[in-house]
Amino acid sequence: MLNLSRVGLVISRLALYQMARSSVAGGVLEIGSFCGKSTLFIALGCKHSDTAFYAVDPHTRISEAGKSNGGLNFQPFTGNSLGELRETLDSCNLAAYVTLLIATSEDARRQFTVQPLKLLFIDGAMIMMMFGWTMSYGTK
Ligand SMILES: C[S@@+](CC[C@H](N)C(=O)[O-])C[C@H]1O[C@@H](n2cnc3c(N)ncnc32)[C@H](O)[C@@H]1O
């Protein structure tokens, strides 16, 4: 059976790739890289357009992301998201095209100086409600 939420995810990641590789001037900033699914597509676009790319995430439990992409099997993540992110980028030879900032977006402001931006992708906050179970992501 066709899983529409997965199709939507693939399309949105292809859109990220296209925006990152566009010839518009400016750098790219991602807030909330987690294990790197979106980061991977953006990094490939930045490689193809020679664009500076910064990916920001504290990789702590300020907000516990889940490993499933929708559906009813959402499970809070208990692993090492920074390790998985590095492994993902390394396995595709894309690590050289991303500067990882291990910080919250608030703290990363001081480390991030690239302007203008051609793409700002914020995927750092969400609220999930399932069967009355609420999980909220925050910055503090
Ligand atoms: C939904 S996950 C990101 C998913 C990822 N973009 C992907 O495609 O797999 C949310 C991530 O945002 C991060 N996050 C939450 N608040 C943040 C903040 N203030 N600054 C930076 N990252 C934040 C969390 O640590 C978490 O790893």
Side-chain angles (χ1 to χ4, degrees):
M1 191 166 65
L2 189 63
N3 182 331
L4 286 181
S5 70
R6 284 196 189 276
V7 172
L9 276 171
V10 171
I11 291 171
S12 63
R13 287 177 183 141
L14 289 175
L16 286 173
Y17 165 76
Q18 285 294 352
M19 287 187 273
R21 70 162 277 192
S22 80
S23 56
V24 174
V28 173
L29 174 61
E30 173 183 57
I31 296 174
S33 43
F34 189 44
C35 297
K37 285 181 187 156
S38 47
T39 315
L40 190 66
F41 284 78
I42 297 172
L44 189 61
C46 288
K47 174 184 176 181
H48 292 164
S49 59
D50 198 18
T51 297
F53 173 28
Y54 290 78
V56 181
D57 198 309
H59 296 283
T60 60
R61 292 178 179 276
I62 62 166
S63 61
E64 295 194 1
K67 286 291 277 186
S68 97
N69 295 316
L72 300 178
N73 60 341
F74 183 92
Q75 295 293 324
F77 182 62
T78 54
N80 171 3
S81 58
L82 178 58
E84 286 202 29
L85 171 62
R86 289 199 162 122
E87 216 173 283
T88 301
L89 293 169
D90 282 345
S91 67
C92 297
N93 290 324
L94 287 170
Y97 302 94
V98 192
T99 302
L100 301 181
L101 300 179
I102 318 302
T104 63
S105 49
E106 294 88 338
D107 293 340
R109 273 184 310 179
R110 290 172 215 112
Q111 300 171 57
F112 183 78
T113 52
V114 174
Q115 283 190 14
L117 287 179
K118 70 174 173 186
L119 173 61
L120 168 61
F121 177 56
I122 302 175
D123 195 13
M126 101 179 33
I127 294 175
M128 276 200 97
M129 294 180 73
M130 281 179 190
F131 298 116
W133 175 48
T134 305
M135 185 165 154
S136 58
Y137 289 178
T139 55
K140 301 274 180 196

Coordinates of all heavy atoms in Angstrom, one line a residue, residues 75-133:
Q75 N 7.9 6.6 18.3 CA 8.6 6.2 19.5 C 9.6 7.3 19.8 O 10.4 7.7 18.9 CB 9.4 4.9 19.3 CG 8.6 3.7 19.1 CD 7.8 3.3 20.3 OE1 8.2 3.5 21.5 NE2 6.5 2.9 20.1
P76 N 9.6 7.8 21.1 CA 10.7 8.8 21.4 C 12.1 8.2 21.1 O 12.3 7.0 21.3 CB 10.5 9.1 22.9 CG 9.1 8.7 23.2 CD 8.8 7.5 22.2
F77 N 13.0 9.1 20.7 CA 14.3 8.6 20.3 C 15.2 8.5 21.5 O 15.2 9.4 22.4 CB 14.9 9.7 19.4 CG 16.3 9.3 18.8 CD1 16.5 8.2 18.1 CD2 17.3 10.2 19.1 CE1 17.7 7.9 17.6 CE2 18.6 9.9 18.6 CZ 18.8 8.7 17.9
T78 N 15.9 7.4 21.6 CA 16.8 7.2 22.8 C 18.3 7.1 22.4 O 19.1 6.8 23.2 CB 16.4 6.0 23.6 OG1 16.4 4.9 22.7 CG2 15.0 6.1 24.2
G79 N 18.6 7.3 21.1 CA 19.9 7.0 20.7 C 20.8 8.3 20.6 O 20.5 9.3 21.3
N80 N 21.8 8.2 19.8 CA 22.8 9.3 19.7 C 22.6 10.0 18.3 O 23.1 9.6 17.3 CB 24.2 8.7 19.8 CG 25.3 9.7 19.5 OD1 25.1 10.9 19.3 ND2 26.5 9.2 19.5
S81 N 21.8 11.1 18.3 CA 21.5 11.7 17.1 C 22.7 12.4 16.4 O 22.8 12.3 15.2 CB 20.4 12.8 17.3 OG 20.7 13.8 18.2
L82 N 23.6 12.9 17.2 CA 24.8 13.5 16.5 C 25.6 12.4 15.9 O 26.1 12.6 14.7 CB 25.7 14.2 17.6 CG 27.0 14.8 17.1 CD1 26.7 15.8 15.9 CD2 27.7 15.5 18.2
G83 N 25.8 11.2 16.5 CA 26.5 10.1 15.9 C 25.8 9.7 14.6 O 26.5 9.4 13.6
E84 N 24.5 9.6 14.6 CA 23.8 9.1 13.4 C 23.9 10.1 12.3 O 24.1 9.8 11.1 CB 22.3 8.8 13.8 CG 22.1 7.6 14.5 CD 20.7 7.0 14.4 OE1 20.1 7.2 13.4 OE2 20.3 6.3 15.4
L85 N 23.9 11.4 12.7 CA 24.0 12.5 11.7 C 25.4 12.4 11.0 O 25.5 12.4 9.8 CB 23.8 13.9 12.4 CG 24.1 15.1 11.6 CD1 23.2 15.2 10.4 CD2 24.0 16.4 12.4
R86 N 26.4 12.3 11.8 CA 27.8 12.2 11.3 C 27.9 11.0 10.4 O 28.5 11.0 9.3 CB 28.8 12.2 12.4 CG 28.9 13.5 13.1 CD 30.2 13.6 13.9 NE 30.5 15.0 14.2 CZ 30.7 15.5 15.4 NH1 30.6 14.7 16.4 NH2 30.9 16.8 15.6
E87 N 27.4 9.8 10.8 CA 27.5 8.6 10.1 C 26.7 8.7 8.7 O 27.2 8.3 7.7 CB 26.8 7.5 10.9 CG 27.4 6.1 10.8 CD 26.7 5.2 11.8 OE1 27.0 5.3 13.0 OE2 25.9 4.4 11.3
T88 N 25.6 9.4 8.8 CA 24.8 9.6 7.5 C 25.5 10.4 6.5 O 25.7 10.1 5.4 CB 23.4 10.3 7.9 OG1 22.7 9.4 8.8 CG2 22.6 10.5 6.7
L89 N 26.1 11.5 7.0 CA 26.8 12.4 6.1 C 28.1 11.8 5.6 O 28.4 11.9 4.4 CB 27.2 13.7 6.8 CG 26.0 14.6 7.2 CD1 26.4 15.7 8.2 CD2 25.3 15.2 6.0
D90 N 28.8 11.1 6.5 CA 30.0 10.4 6.0 C 29.7 9.3 5.0 O 30.5 9.2 4.0 CB 30.7 9.7 7.2 CG 31.5 10.7 8.1 OD1 31.7 11.8 7.6 OD2 31.8 10.4 9.3
S91 N 28.7 8.6 5.2 CA 28.4 7.5 4.3 C 28.1 8.0 2.9 O 28.1 7.2 1.9 CB 27.2 6.6 4.8 OG 26.0 7.3 4.8
C92 N 27.7 9.2 2.8 CA 27.4 9.8 1.5 C 28.4 10.8 1.0 O 28.2 11.5 0.1 CB 26.0 10.5 1.5 SG 24.7 9.3 1.9
N93 N 29.5 10.8 1.7 CA 30.6 11.7 1.4 C 30.2 13.2 1.3 O 30.6 14.0 0.5 CB 31.3 11.4 0.1 CG 32.1 10.1 0.2 OD1 32.7 9.8 1.2 ND2 32.0 9.3 -0.9
L94 N 29.3 13.6 2.3 CA 28.8 14.9 2.3 C 29.2 15.7 3.5 O 28.8 16.9 3.6 CB 27.2 14.9 2.2 CG 26.7 14.5 0.8 CD1 25.2 14.2 0.8 CD2 27.1 15.6 -0.3
A95 N 30.0 15.1 4.4 CA 30.3 15.8 5.6 C 31.1 17.1 5.4 O 30.9 18.1 6.1 CB 31.2 14.9 6.5
A96 N 31.8 17.2 4.3 CA 32.6 18.4 4.0 C 31.8 19.6 3.6 O 32.2 20.7 3.5 CB 33.6 18.1 2.8
Y97 N 30.5 19.3 3.3 CA 29.6 20.4 2.8 C 28.7 20.9 3.8 O 27.8 21.7 3.5 CB 28.8 19.9 1.5 CG 29.8 19.4 0.5 CD1 30.1 18.0 0.4 CD2 30.4 20.3 -0.4 CE1 31.0 17.6 -0.6 CE2 31.3 19.9 -1.3 CZ 31.6 18.5 -1.4 OH 32.5 18.1 -2.3
V98 N 28.9 20.5 5.1 CA 28.0 21.0 6.2 C 28.9 21.4 7.4 O 29.8 20.7 7.8 CB 27.1 19.9 6.7 CG1 26.0 20.5 7.6 CG2 26.5 19.1 5.6
T99 N 28.6 22.6 7.9 CA 29.2 22.9 9.2 C 28.2 22.6 10.3 O 27.1 23.2 10.3 CB 29.6 24.4 9.3 OG1 30.5 24.7 8.2 CG2 30.2 24.8 10.6
L100 N 28.5 21.7 11.2 CA 27.6 21.3 12.2 C 27.8 22.3 13.4 O 28.9 22.4 13.9 CB 27.8 19.9 12.7 CG 27.6 18.8 11.6 CD1 27.8 17.4 12.2 CD2 26.3 18.9 11.0
L101 N 26.7 22.9 13.8 CA 26.8 23.8 15.0 C 26.0 23.1 16.1 O 24.8 22.9 16.0 CB 26.2 25.1 14.8 CG 26.8 26.0 13.6 CD1 26.1 27.3 13.5 CD2 28.3 26.2 14.0
I102 N 26.7 22.6 17.1 CA 26.1 21.8 18.2 C 25.6 22.8 19.3 O 26.3 23.1 20.2 CB 27.1 20.8 18.8 CG1 27.9 20.1 17.7 CG2 26.3 19.7 19.7 CD1 27.1 19.3 16.7
A103 N 24.5 23.3 19.0 CA 24.0 24.4 19.9 C 22.5 24.6 19.6 O 22.0 24.1 18.6 CB 24.7 25.7 19.6
T104 N 21.8 25.3 20.5 CA 20.5 25.7 20.2 C 20.5 26.8 19.2 O 21.6 27.5 19.0 CB 19.7 26.2 21.4 OG1 20.4 27.4 21.9 CG2 19.6 25.1 22.5
S105 N 19.4 27.1 18.5 CA 19.4 28.2 17.6 C 19.8 29.5 18.3 O 20.4 30.4 17.7 CB 18.1 28.3 16.9 OG 17.0 28.2 17.8
E106 N 19.3 29.6 19.5 CA 19.6 30.9 20.3 C 21.1 31.0 20.4 O 21.7 32.1 20.2 CB 18.9 30.8 21.6 CG 17.4 30.8 21.6 CD 16.8 29.4 21.5 OE1 17.5 28.5 21.1 OE2 15.6 29.2 21.9
D107 N 21.8 30.0 20.9 CA 23.2 30.1 21.1 C 24.0 30.1 19.8 O 25.1 30.8 19.7 CB 23.7 28.9 21.9 CG 23.2 28.9 23.3 OD1 22.7 30.0 23.8 OD2 23.1 27.9 24.0
A108 N 23.5 29.5 18.7 CA 24.2 29.5 17.5 C 24.2 30.8 16.8 O 25.0 31.0 15.9 CB 23.6 28.4 16.5
R109 N 23.3 31.7 17.2 CA 23.3 33.1 16.6 C 24.7 33.7 16.6 O 25.1 34.4 15.6 CB 22.4 34.0 17.3 CG 20.9 33.9 16.9 CD 20.1 34.9 17.6 NE 20.4 34.8 19.1 CZ 19.8 35.5 20.0 NH1 19.0 36.5 19.6 NH2 20.0 35.4 21.3
R110 N 25.4 33.4 17.7 CA 26.8 34.1 17.8 C 27.8 33.4 16.9 O 28.8 34.0 16.5 CB 27.2 34.0 19.2 CG 26.4 34.9 20.1 CD 26.7 34.7 21.6 NE 25.5 34.8 22.3 CZ 24.8 33.9 23.0 NH1 25.3 32.7 23.0 NH2 23.7 34.1 23.6
Q111 N 27.6 32.2 16.5 CA 28.5 31.5 15.6 C 28.2 31.6 14.2 O 29.0 31.2 13.3 CB 28.5 30.0 16.0 CG 28.9 29.7 17.4 CD 28.7 28.2 17.7 OE1 29.2 27.3 17.1 NE2 27.9 27.9 18.7
F112 N 27.0 32.0 13.9 CA 26.5 32.0 12.5 C 26.5 33.4 11.9 O 25.8 34.3 12.4 CB 25.1 31.4 12.4 CG 24.6 31.3 11.0 CD1 25.0 30.3 10.2 CD2 23.8 32.3 10.5 CE1 24.6 30.2 8.9 CE2 23.3 32.2 9.2 CZ 23.7 31.2 8.4
T113 N 27.4 33.6 10.9 CA 27.5 35.0 10.4 C 27.2 35.1 8.9 O 27.3 36.2 8.4 CB 29.0 35.5 10.7 OG1 29.9 34.5 10.1 CG2 29.2 35.7 12.1
V114 N 26.9 34.0 8.3 CA 26.7 34.0 6.8 C 25.4 34.8 6.5 O 24.3 34.5 7.0 CB 26.6 32.6 6.2 CG1 26.2 32.7 4.8 CG2 27.9 31.9 6.4
Q115 N 25.5 35.8 5.6 CA 24.4 36.6 5.2 C 24.6 37.0 3.7 O 25.7 37.2 3.4 CB 24.2 37.8 6.0 CG 23.5 37.5 7.4 CD 23.1 38.7 8.1 OE1 23.0 39.8 7.6 NE2 22.8 38.6 9.4
P116 N 23.6 37.1 2.9 CA 22.2 36.7 3.2 C 22.0 35.2 3.2 O 22.9 34.5 2.9 CB 21.4 37.4 2.0 CG 22.4 37.3 0.9 CD 23.8 37.5 1.5
L117 N 20.8 34.8 3.5 CA 20.4 33.4 3.4 C 19.5 33.2 2.2 O 18.6 33.9 2.0 CB 19.6 32.9 4.7 CG 20.3 32.8 6.0 CD1 19.3 32.4 7.1 CD2 21.5 31.8 5.9
K118 N 19.8 32.1 1.5 CA 18.8 31.8 0.4 C 17.8 30.7 0.9 O 16.8 30.6 0.3 CB 19.5 31.3 -0.9 CG 20.2 29.9 -0.8 CD 20.7 29.6 -2.2 CE 21.5 28.3 -2.1 NZ 22.1 28.0 -3.4
L119 N 18.2 30.0 2.0 CA 17.3 29.0 2.5 C 17.4 28.9 4.0 O 18.5 28.7 4.5 CB 17.5 27.7 1.9 CG 16.7 26.5 2.5 CD1 15.2 26.6 2.3 CD2 17.2 25.2 1.8
L120 N 16.3 29.1 4.7 CA 16.3 28.9 6.2 C 15.2 27.8 6.4 O 14.1 28.0 6.1 CB 15.9 30.2 6.9 CG 15.5 30.0 8.4 CD1 16.7 29.5 9.2 CD2 15.0 31.3 9.0
F121 N 15.7 26.6 6.9 CA 14.8 25.5 7.1 C 14.7 25.3 8.6 O 15.7 24.9 9.2 CB 15.3 24.3 6.4 CG 14.4 23.0 6.6 CD1 13.1 23.0 6.3 CD2 15.0 21.9 7.1 CE1 12.3 21.9 6.5 CE2 14.2 20.7 7.3 CZ 12.9 20.8 7.0
I122 N 13.5 25.5 9.1 CA 13.3 25.3 10.6 C 12.5 24.1 10.8 O 11.3 24.0 10.4 CB 12.6 26.5 11.2 CG1 13.4 27.8 11.0 CG2 12.4 26.3 12.7 CD1 12.7 29.1 11.4
D123 N 13.1 23.1 11.4 CA 12.4 21.8 11.7 C 12.7 21.4 13.2 O 13.1 20.3 13.5 CB 12.9 20.7 10.8 CG 12.0 19.5 10.8 OD1 10.9 19.6 11.3 OD2 12.4 18.5 10.2
G124 N 12.7 22.4 14.0 CA 13.2 22.2 15.4 C 12.1 22.2 16.4 O 12.4 22.0 17.6
A125 N 10.8 22.3 16.1 CA 9.8 22.3 17.1 C 8.5 21.6 16.5 O 8.2 21.8 15.4 CB 9.5 23.7 17.5
M126 N 7.9 20.9 17.4 CA 6.7 20.3 16.9 C 5.9 19.8 18.1 O 6.4 19.6 19.2 CB 6.9 19.2 15.9 CG 6.9 17.8 16.4 SD 7.1 16.5 15.3 CE 8.3 17.0 14.1
I127 N 4.6 19.7 17.9 CA 3.8 19.2 19.0 C 3.0 18.0 18.4 O 2.4 18.1 17.3 CB 2.7 20.3 19.4 CG1 3.5 21.4 20.1 CG2 1.7 19.6 20.4 CD1 2.6 22.6 20.5
M128 N 3.2 16.9 19.1 CA 2.5 15.7 18.6 C 1.4 15.3 19.6 O 1.6 15.2 20.8 CB 3.5 14.5 18.5 CG 4.3 14.5 17.3 SD 5.0 12.9 17.0 CE 3.8 12.2 15.9
M129 N 0.3 15.0 19.0 CA -0.8 14.5 19.9 C -1.3 13.1 19.3 O -1.7 13.1 18.2 CB -1.9 15.5 20.0 CG -1.5 16.8 20.6 SD -2.9 17.9 20.7 CE -3.9 17.2 21.9
M130 N -1.2 12.1 20.2 CA -1.7 10.8 19.7 C -2.5 10.2 20.9 O -1.9 10.0 21.9 CB -0.6 9.9 19.3 CG 0.0 10.2 18.0 SD 1.3 9.1 17.6 CE 1.9 9.8 16.1
F131 N -3.7 9.8 20.6 CA -4.5 9.1 21.7 C -4.4 9.8 23.0 O -4.2 9.2 24.0 CB -4.0 7.7 21.8 CG -4.2 6.9 20.6 CD1 -3.1 6.4 19.9 CD2 -5.5 6.7 20.0 CE1 -3.3 5.6 18.7 CE2 -5.6 5.9 18.9 CZ -4.5 5.4 18.2
G132 N -4.4 11.1 23.0 CA -4.4 11.9 24.2 C -3.0 12.0 24.8 O -2.8 12.7 25.8
W133 N -2.0 11.4 24.2 CA -0.6 11.6 24.6 C 0.0 12.8 23.9 O 0.1 12.9 22.7 CB 0.2 10.3 24.3 CG 1.6 10.4 24.6 CD1 2.2 10.8 25.8 CD2 2.7 10.0 23.8 NE1 3.6 10.7 25.7 CE2 3.9 10.2 24.5 CE3 2.8 9.6 22.4 CZ2 5.2 10.0 24.0 CZ3 4.1 9.3 21.9 CH2 5.2 9.5 22.7

